[in-house]
Short mmCIF file of all heavy atoms in Angstrom, two decimals:
data_model
loop_
_atom_site.label_atom_id
_atom_site.label_comp_id
_atom_site.label_asym_id
_atom_site.label_seq_id
_atom_site.Cartn_x
_atom_site.Cartn_y
_atom_site.Cartn_z
N SER Q 23 98.56 112.75 112.54
CA SER Q 23 98.76 113.01 113.96
C SER Q 23 98.14 114.35 114.37
O SER Q 23 97.59 114.46 115.47
CB SER Q 23 100.25 112.99 114.31
OG SER Q 23 100.93 114.05 113.67
N ILE Q 26 94.42 113.83 114.73
CA ILE Q 26 94.00 113.00 115.86
C ILE Q 26 94.40 113.63 117.19
O ILE Q 26 93.58 113.71 118.11
CB ILE Q 26 94.58 111.57 115.72
CG1 ILE Q 26 93.87 110.86 114.56
CG2 ILE Q 26 94.41 110.79 117.01
CD1 ILE Q 26 94.34 109.46 114.31
N PHE Q 27 95.63 114.11 117.33
CA PHE Q 27 96.11 114.55 118.64
C PHE Q 27 95.50 115.87 119.09
O PHE Q 27 95.20 116.03 120.27
CB PHE Q 27 97.64 114.64 118.65
CG PHE Q 27 98.30 113.30 118.76
CD1 PHE Q 27 99.15 112.85 117.77
CD2 PHE Q 27 98.08 112.49 119.85
CE1 PHE Q 27 99.75 111.61 117.86
CE2 PHE Q 27 98.68 111.25 119.95
CZ PHE Q 27 99.52 110.81 118.95
N ILE Q 28 95.29 116.83 118.18
CA ILE Q 28 94.71 118.11 118.60
C ILE Q 28 93.27 117.92 119.10
O ILE Q 28 92.94 118.39 120.19
CB ILE Q 28 94.83 119.16 117.48
CG1 ILE Q 28 96.31 119.55 117.33
CG2 ILE Q 28 93.98 120.38 117.80
CD1 ILE Q 28 96.58 120.52 116.22
N PRO Q 29 92.38 117.21 118.37
CA PRO Q 29 91.05 116.95 118.95
C PRO Q 29 91.12 116.11 120.21
O PRO Q 29 90.29 116.28 121.11
CB PRO Q 29 90.31 116.19 117.84
CG PRO Q 29 91.02 116.56 116.58
CD PRO Q 29 92.44 116.76 116.98
N ALA Q 30 92.10 115.20 120.33
CA ALA Q 30 92.22 114.39 121.54
C ALA Q 30 92.59 115.25 122.74
O ALA Q 30 92.09 115.04 123.84
CB ALA Q 30 93.25 113.30 121.34
N ILE Q 31 93.46 116.24 122.54
CA ILE Q 31 93.82 117.15 123.63
C ILE Q 31 92.59 117.94 124.07
O ILE Q 31 92.31 118.09 125.26
CB ILE Q 31 94.97 118.09 123.18
CG1 ILE Q 31 96.26 117.29 123.01
CG2 ILE Q 31 95.17 119.22 124.18
CD1 ILE Q 31 97.36 118.06 122.32
N ILE Q 32 91.82 118.44 123.09
CA ILE Q 32 90.61 119.19 123.41
C ILE Q 32 89.61 118.30 124.14
O ILE Q 32 89.02 118.70 125.16
CB ILE Q 32 90.00 119.79 122.13
CG1 ILE Q 32 90.96 120.83 121.54
CG2 ILE Q 32 88.64 120.41 122.40
CD1 ILE Q 32 90.60 121.29 120.15
N LEU Q 33 89.42 117.06 123.64
CA LEU Q 33 88.50 116.12 124.29
C LEU Q 33 88.96 115.80 125.71
O LEU Q 33 88.13 115.70 126.62
CB LEU Q 33 88.40 114.84 123.46
CG LEU Q 33 87.49 113.75 124.03
CD1 LEU Q 33 86.04 114.22 124.02
CD2 LEU Q 33 87.63 112.48 123.22
N ASN Q 34 90.25 115.68 125.90
CA ASN Q 34 90.78 115.39 127.23
C ASN Q 34 90.45 116.53 128.20
O ASN Q 34 90.02 116.28 129.33
CB ASN Q 34 92.29 115.18 127.14
CG ASN Q 34 92.82 114.33 128.27
OD1 ASN Q 34 92.07 113.64 128.92
ND2 ASN Q 34 94.11 114.41 128.49
N TYR Q 35 90.61 117.79 127.76
CA TYR Q 35 90.27 118.92 128.62
C TYR Q 35 88.77 118.97 128.90
O TYR Q 35 88.36 119.28 130.02
CB TYR Q 35 90.72 120.24 127.98
CG TYR Q 35 92.19 120.52 128.17
CD1 TYR Q 35 93.03 120.68 127.09
CD2 TYR Q 35 92.73 120.60 129.44
CE1 TYR Q 35 94.39 120.92 127.26
CE2 TYR Q 35 94.08 120.85 129.63
CZ TYR Q 35 94.90 121.01 128.54
OH TYR Q 35 96.22 121.26 128.71
N VAL Q 36 87.94 118.63 127.91
CA VAL Q 36 86.49 118.62 128.11
C VAL Q 36 86.12 117.55 129.13
O VAL Q 36 85.32 117.80 130.05
CB VAL Q 36 85.76 118.39 126.76
CG1 VAL Q 36 84.29 118.08 126.99
CG2 VAL Q 36 85.92 119.60 125.85
N LEU Q 37 86.70 116.36 129.00
CA LEU Q 37 86.38 115.28 129.94
C LEU Q 37 86.86 115.61 131.35
O LEU Q 37 86.18 115.31 132.33
CB LEU Q 37 87.00 113.96 129.45
CG LEU Q 37 86.38 113.37 128.18
CD1 LEU Q 37 87.16 112.15 127.74
CD2 LEU Q 37 84.92 113.03 128.40
N ILE Q 38 88.02 116.23 131.46
CA ILE Q 38 88.51 116.65 132.78
C ILE Q 38 87.59 117.72 133.36
O ILE Q 38 87.28 117.72 134.55
CB ILE Q 38 89.98 117.13 132.69
CG1 ILE Q 38 90.90 115.94 132.44
CG2 ILE Q 38 90.40 117.86 133.96
CD1 ILE Q 38 92.34 116.32 132.16
N PHE Q 46 95.22 110.40 128.57
CA PHE Q 46 95.30 111.07 127.26
C PHE Q 46 95.13 110.05 126.14
O PHE Q 46 94.53 110.35 125.12
CB PHE Q 46 96.65 111.79 127.14
CG PHE Q 46 96.91 112.35 125.78
CD1 PHE Q 46 96.22 113.46 125.33
CD2 PHE Q 46 97.85 111.77 124.95
CE1 PHE Q 46 96.45 113.97 124.07
CE2 PHE Q 46 98.09 112.29 123.69
CZ PHE Q 46 97.38 113.39 123.26
N SER Q 49 91.58 109.36 125.19
CA SER Q 49 91.08 110.40 124.29
C SER Q 49 91.57 110.17 122.86
O SER Q 49 90.83 110.33 121.90
CB SER Q 49 91.51 111.78 124.77
OG SER Q 49 91.02 112.03 126.06
N VAL Q 50 92.84 109.78 122.73
CA VAL Q 50 93.39 109.48 121.40
C VAL Q 50 92.63 108.32 120.78
O VAL Q 50 92.29 108.34 119.60
CB VAL Q 50 94.91 109.18 121.49
CG1 VAL Q 50 95.43 108.61 120.19
CG2 VAL Q 50 95.68 110.42 121.87
N VAL Q 53 89.11 109.55 119.63
CA VAL Q 53 89.20 110.36 118.41
C VAL Q 53 89.60 109.50 117.22
O VAL Q 53 89.07 109.64 116.12
CB VAL Q 53 90.18 111.53 118.61
CG1 VAL Q 53 90.45 112.27 117.31
CG2 VAL Q 53 89.65 112.49 119.65
#
Side-chain angles (χ1 to χ4, degrees):
S23 65
I26 290 180
F27 283 119
I28 290 177
I31 291 168
I32 295 169
L33 179 66
N34 204 18
Y35 280 121
V36 168
L37 291 175
I38 289 172
F46 173 72
S49 300
V50 169
V53 172

